[in-house]
Amino acid sequence: MATILDLITESLAEIGAYAQGETPSADDANAALAKLNDMLDTWNAQKLYVYNMVFTTYTLVPNLQPHLIGPSGTFVVAQRPVKIENANIVLNNVVPNVRSPLRLRDDDWWASQRVQGVTTTLPTDLYYSPAWPNGQLFLWPVPTTAYGLELETWVLLAQTTLVTTFSLPPGYKSAVKYTLAEELCPSFGKEPSVMLVRQGQKAREAVQSPNSVAPRISTWDSGVPRGGKERPTF
Protein backbone atom coordinates (compact mmCIF):
# COMPACT_ATOMS: atom_id res chain seq x y z
CA MET A 1 0.00 0.00 0.00
CA ALA A 2 1.30 3.45 -0.93
CA THR A 3 2.10 5.92 1.82
CA ILE A 4 1.67 9.68 1.61
CA LEU A 5 5.45 9.96 1.16
CA ASP A 6 5.19 7.64 -1.85
CA LEU A 7 2.48 9.86 -3.31
CA ILE A 8 4.53 13.01 -2.71
CA THR A 9 7.53 11.35 -4.34
CA GLU A 10 5.42 10.59 -7.43
CA SER A 11 4.14 14.17 -7.56
CA LEU A 12 7.67 15.58 -7.37
CA ALA A 13 8.76 13.21 -10.14
CA GLU A 14 5.87 14.40 -12.31
CA ILE A 15 7.28 17.95 -12.32
CA GLY A 16 10.90 16.85 -12.69
CA ALA A 17 11.97 18.07 -9.26
CA TYR A 18 13.31 14.57 -8.55
CA ALA A 19 14.18 11.71 -10.86
CA GLN A 20 12.20 8.50 -10.78
CA GLY A 21 13.39 6.41 -7.82
CA GLU A 22 14.92 9.32 -5.91
CA THR A 23 13.74 10.02 -2.38
CA PRO A 24 12.88 13.63 -1.51
CA SER A 25 14.85 15.37 1.20
CA ALA A 26 13.17 15.74 4.57
CA ASP A 27 12.66 19.48 4.00
CA ASP A 28 11.10 18.99 0.57
CA ALA A 29 8.90 16.13 1.78
CA ASN A 30 7.59 18.18 4.70
CA ALA A 31 7.00 21.22 2.50
CA ALA A 32 5.03 19.05 0.07
CA LEU A 33 3.08 17.52 2.97
CA ALA A 34 2.05 21.00 4.18
CA LYS A 35 0.90 21.83 0.63
CA LEU A 36 -1.04 18.55 0.46
CA ASN A 37 -2.85 19.19 3.75
CA ASP A 38 -3.73 22.72 2.59
CA MET A 39 -5.15 21.22 -0.61
CA LEU A 40 -7.24 18.66 1.28
CA ASP A 41 -8.52 21.42 3.54
CA THR A 42 -9.65 23.37 0.47
CA TRP A 43 -11.35 20.29 -0.99
CA ASN A 44 -13.27 19.83 2.25
CA ALA A 45 -15.08 23.09 1.52
CA GLN A 46 -16.28 21.85 -1.90
CA LYS A 47 -19.08 19.33 -2.17
CA LEU A 48 -17.74 17.92 -5.44
CA TYR A 49 -14.93 16.31 -3.44
CA VAL A 50 -17.27 14.82 -0.81
CA TYR A 51 -17.43 11.10 -1.55
CA ASN A 52 -19.97 10.15 1.13
CA MET A 53 -22.42 11.38 3.75
CA VAL A 54 -22.55 10.20 7.35
CA PHE A 55 -25.59 9.97 9.65
CA THR A 56 -24.79 10.60 13.31
CA THR A 57 -27.23 10.76 16.22
CA TYR A 58 -26.62 12.92 19.27
CA THR A 59 -28.67 13.39 22.45
CA LEU A 60 -30.29 16.79 22.91
CA VAL A 61 -29.84 18.79 26.11
CA PRO A 62 -33.27 20.07 27.19
CA ASN A 63 -33.73 23.87 27.14
CA LEU A 64 -30.28 24.48 25.64
CA GLN A 65 -29.96 27.01 22.82
CA PRO A 66 -27.82 26.75 20.80
CA HIS A 67 -26.30 23.29 20.86
CA LEU A 68 -22.65 23.50 19.76
CA ILE A 69 -20.98 20.95 17.49
CA GLY A 70 -17.21 20.82 17.15
CA PRO A 71 -14.02 19.93 19.03
CA SER A 72 -15.26 21.56 22.25
CA GLY A 73 -18.99 21.61 21.65
CA THR A 74 -22.06 20.05 23.18
CA PHE A 75 -21.59 17.40 20.50
CA VAL A 76 -17.87 16.68 20.22
CA VAL A 77 -16.50 16.00 16.72
CA ALA A 78 -13.03 16.54 15.26
CA GLN A 79 -14.24 19.38 13.03
CA ARG A 80 -17.56 21.14 12.86
CA PRO A 81 -19.66 20.23 9.80
CA VAL A 82 -19.21 22.33 6.68
CA LYS A 83 -22.90 21.87 5.94
CA ILE A 84 -25.85 19.88 7.25
CA GLU A 85 -27.72 18.13 4.46
CA ASN A 86 -30.64 16.71 6.46
CA ALA A 87 -31.72 16.49 10.09
CA ASN A 88 -34.24 14.53 12.11
CA ILE A 89 -35.49 14.46 15.67
CA VAL A 90 -35.33 10.85 16.86
CA LEU A 91 -38.14 9.95 19.23
CA ASN A 92 -36.13 7.59 21.41
CA ASN A 93 -38.88 6.99 23.95
CA VAL A 94 -40.70 4.53 21.67
CA VAL A 95 -39.69 1.20 20.13
CA PRO A 96 -38.88 1.23 17.33
CA ASN A 97 -37.60 4.81 17.33
CA VAL A 98 -39.46 7.29 15.15
CA ARG A 99 -37.64 9.92 13.09
CA SER A 100 -39.34 13.29 12.70
CA PRO A 101 -37.82 15.44 9.90
CA LEU A 102 -36.60 18.95 10.66
CA ARG A 103 -36.91 21.78 8.15
CA LEU A 104 -33.46 23.26 7.50
CA ARG A 105 -33.56 27.06 7.65
CA ASP A 106 -31.18 29.89 6.75
CA ASP A 107 -30.04 32.97 8.65
CA ASP A 108 -32.74 35.18 7.13
CA TRP A 109 -35.40 32.84 8.45
CA TRP A 110 -33.80 32.76 11.89
CA ALA A 111 -33.53 36.55 11.98
CA SER A 112 -37.24 36.83 11.20
CA GLN A 113 -38.29 34.76 14.24
CA ARG A 114 -39.75 37.20 16.77
CA VAL A 115 -39.80 34.73 19.67
CA GLN A 116 -36.66 32.63 19.34
CA GLY A 117 -36.87 31.24 22.86
CA VAL A 118 -40.28 29.58 22.65
CA THR A 119 -40.10 25.96 23.88
CA THR A 120 -41.67 22.66 22.86
CA THR A 121 -41.20 18.93 23.26
CA LEU A 122 -40.77 18.41 19.51
CA PRO A 123 -38.94 21.08 17.46
CA THR A 124 -39.79 21.47 13.79
CA ASP A 125 -36.98 23.61 12.37
CA LEU A 126 -33.20 23.80 12.48
CA TYR A 127 -30.94 26.72 11.67
CA TYR A 128 -27.24 25.85 11.43
CA SER A 129 -24.67 28.61 11.87
CA PRO A 130 -21.23 27.26 10.81
CA ALA A 131 -19.27 29.29 13.35
CA TRP A 132 -15.68 28.32 14.16
CA PRO A 133 -14.36 26.21 15.84
CA ASN A 134 -17.82 25.03 16.97
CA GLY A 135 -20.88 25.23 14.76
CA GLN A 136 -24.14 26.43 16.32
CA LEU A 137 -27.37 24.43 16.08
CA PHE A 138 -30.47 26.52 16.73
CA LEU A 139 -33.52 24.27 17.12
CA TRP A 140 -36.93 25.94 16.98
CA PRO A 141 -38.88 25.80 19.10
CA VAL A 142 -36.28 25.07 21.78
CA PRO A 143 -36.57 21.37 22.75
CA THR A 144 -37.49 20.47 26.32
CA THR A 145 -36.99 16.71 25.93
CA ALA A 146 -33.74 14.75 25.52
CA TYR A 147 -34.67 13.27 22.16
CA GLY A 148 -32.02 12.24 19.66
CA LEU A 149 -30.84 14.61 16.94
CA GLU A 150 -29.76 12.87 13.74
CA LEU A 151 -27.57 14.92 11.38
CA GLU A 152 -26.51 14.06 7.84
CA THR A 153 -23.12 15.67 7.20
CA TRP A 154 -20.23 15.49 4.75
CA VAL A 155 -17.42 12.99 5.25
CA LEU A 156 -14.26 15.13 5.43
CA LEU A 157 -10.82 14.31 4.06
CA ALA A 158 -8.52 13.97 7.05
CA GLN A 159 -5.24 15.79 7.52
CA THR A 160 -2.37 13.39 7.02
CA THR A 161 1.30 12.58 7.72
CA LEU A 162 4.18 11.25 5.63
CA VAL A 163 3.83 7.73 7.05
CA THR A 164 0.04 7.52 6.67
CA THR A 165 -1.15 4.84 4.26
CA PHE A 166 -3.13 6.43 1.44
CA SER A 167 -6.72 5.22 1.67
CA LEU A 168 -9.43 6.96 -0.35
CA PRO A 169 -12.01 5.76 -2.91
CA PRO A 170 -11.06 4.98 -6.53
CA GLY A 171 -9.92 8.00 -8.51
CA TYR A 172 -8.67 10.04 -5.56
CA LYS A 173 -5.07 8.85 -5.80
CA SER A 174 -4.62 10.25 -9.29
CA ALA A 175 -6.54 13.40 -8.43
CA VAL A 176 -4.35 14.02 -5.38
CA LYS A 177 -1.09 13.17 -7.18
CA TYR A 178 -1.60 15.38 -10.24
CA THR A 179 -3.20 18.27 -8.37
CA LEU A 180 -0.41 18.22 -5.79
CA ALA A 181 2.13 18.22 -8.62
CA GLU A 182 0.51 21.37 -10.03
CA GLU A 183 0.49 22.99 -6.59
CA LEU A 184 4.18 22.20 -6.07
CA CYS A 185 5.38 23.74 -9.34
CA PRO A 186 5.87 27.33 -8.07
CA SER A 187 7.76 26.17 -4.97
CA PHE A 188 10.23 24.21 -7.11
CA GLY A 189 10.59 26.77 -9.89
CA LYS A 190 8.71 24.67 -12.42
CA GLU A 191 6.01 25.41 -14.97
CA PRO A 192 3.19 22.85 -15.14
CA SER A 193 3.25 21.16 -18.51
CA VAL A 194 0.18 21.04 -20.73
CA MET A 195 0.08 17.28 -20.22
CA LEU A 196 0.18 17.64 -16.42
CA VAL A 197 -2.67 20.16 -16.45
CA ARG A 198 -4.75 17.87 -18.66
CA GLN A 199 -4.05 14.86 -16.44
CA GLY A 200 -5.02 16.88 -13.37
CA GLN A 201 -8.27 18.07 -14.92
CA LYS A 202 -9.16 14.56 -16.06
CA ALA A 203 -8.38 13.07 -12.64
CA ARG A 204 -10.41 15.70 -10.78
CA GLU A 205 -13.36 15.22 -13.13
CA ALA A 206 -13.27 11.48 -12.41
CA VAL A 207 -13.61 12.23 -8.69
CA GLN A 208 -16.18 14.99 -9.04
CA SER A 209 -18.50 13.20 -11.46
CA PRO A 210 -19.91 10.60 -8.98
CA ASN A 211 -20.24 13.33 -6.33
CA SER A 212 -22.26 15.64 -8.55
CA VAL A 213 -26.03 15.29 -8.16
CA ALA A 214 -28.30 16.68 -10.84
CA PRO A 215 -30.84 19.17 -9.43
CA ARG A 216 -34.44 18.05 -9.16
CA ILE A 217 -36.72 19.69 -11.69
CA SER A 218 -40.43 20.09 -11.10
CA THR A 219 -43.18 21.73 -13.12
CA TRP A 220 -46.47 23.43 -12.46
CA ASP A 221 -47.85 22.25 -15.78
CA SER A 222 -46.80 19.65 -18.31
CA GLY A 223 -43.74 20.84 -20.21
CA VAL A 224 -43.33 24.05 -18.23
CA PRO A 225 -40.19 24.21 -16.04
CA ARG A 226 -40.73 25.53 -12.55
CA GLY A 227 -38.66 28.61 -11.72
CA GLY A 228 -37.58 30.06 -8.42
CA LYS A 229 -40.65 32.25 -7.96
CA GLU A 230 -43.94 31.10 -6.55
CA ARG A 231 -46.76 30.50 -8.96
CA PRO A 232 -49.12 33.46 -9.00
CA THR A 233 -52.60 32.98 -7.57
CA PHE A 234 -55.72 34.65 -8.86
Side-chain angles (χ1 to χ4, degrees), residues 55-214:
F55 291 85
T56 309
T57 301
Y58 308 93
T59 301
L60 293 171
V61 178
N63 300 303
L64 177 64
Q65 185 80 297
H67 286 71
L68 303 182
I69 182 168
S72 59
T74 318
F75 308 139
V76 177
V77 296
Q79 183 174 314
R80 67 103 168 103
V82 176
K83 184 179 179 182
I84 293 174
E85 294 289 336
N86 286 290
N88 296 288
I89 294 294
V90 180
L91 306 182
N92 48 21
N93 58 343
V94 294
V95 179
N97 292 170
V98 176
R99 298 159 70 247
S100 178
L102 288 165
R103 290 185 291 265
L104 298 182
R105 301 294 193 170
D106 60 17
D107 52 345
D108 288 334
W109 178 88
W110 180 246
S112 71
Q113 297 309 303
R114 296 296 177 258
V115 185
Q116 295 178 340
V118 64
T119 60
T120 184
T121 56
L122 185 61
T124 56
D125 301 85
L126 172 64
Y127 160 55
Y128 176 56
S129 174
W132 187 263
N134 298 308
Q136 299 174 321
L137 300 161
F138 293 89
L139 288 147
W140 191 90
V142 180
T144 59
T145 304
Y147 287 136
L149 175 64
E150 181 186 63
L151 302 177
E152 180 189 7
T153 57
W154 300 359
V155 170
L156 299 180
L157 303 173
Q159 296 288 283
T160 190
T161 70
L162 292 174
V163 297
T164 301
T165 299
F166 185 86
S167 180
L168 282 173
Y172 276 83
K173 186 174 185 292
S174 291
V176 170
K177 178 175 71 174
Y178 291 122
T179 306
L180 179 59
E182 293 177 81
E183 295 284 338
L184 291 172
C185 281
S187 300
F188 286 86
K190 305 289 185 179
E191 285 290 332
S193 67
V194 173
M195 179 61 70
L196 175 62
V197 172
R198 288 177 179 171
Q199 288 173 314
Q201 290 174 338
K202 184 177 179 180
R204 288 188 292 273
E205 287 172 0
V207 164
Q208 294 171 353
S209 179
N211 301 336
S212 177
V213 179

Side-chain angles (χ1 to χ4, degrees), residues 7-8 85:
L7 192 65
I8 286 173
E85 294 289 336

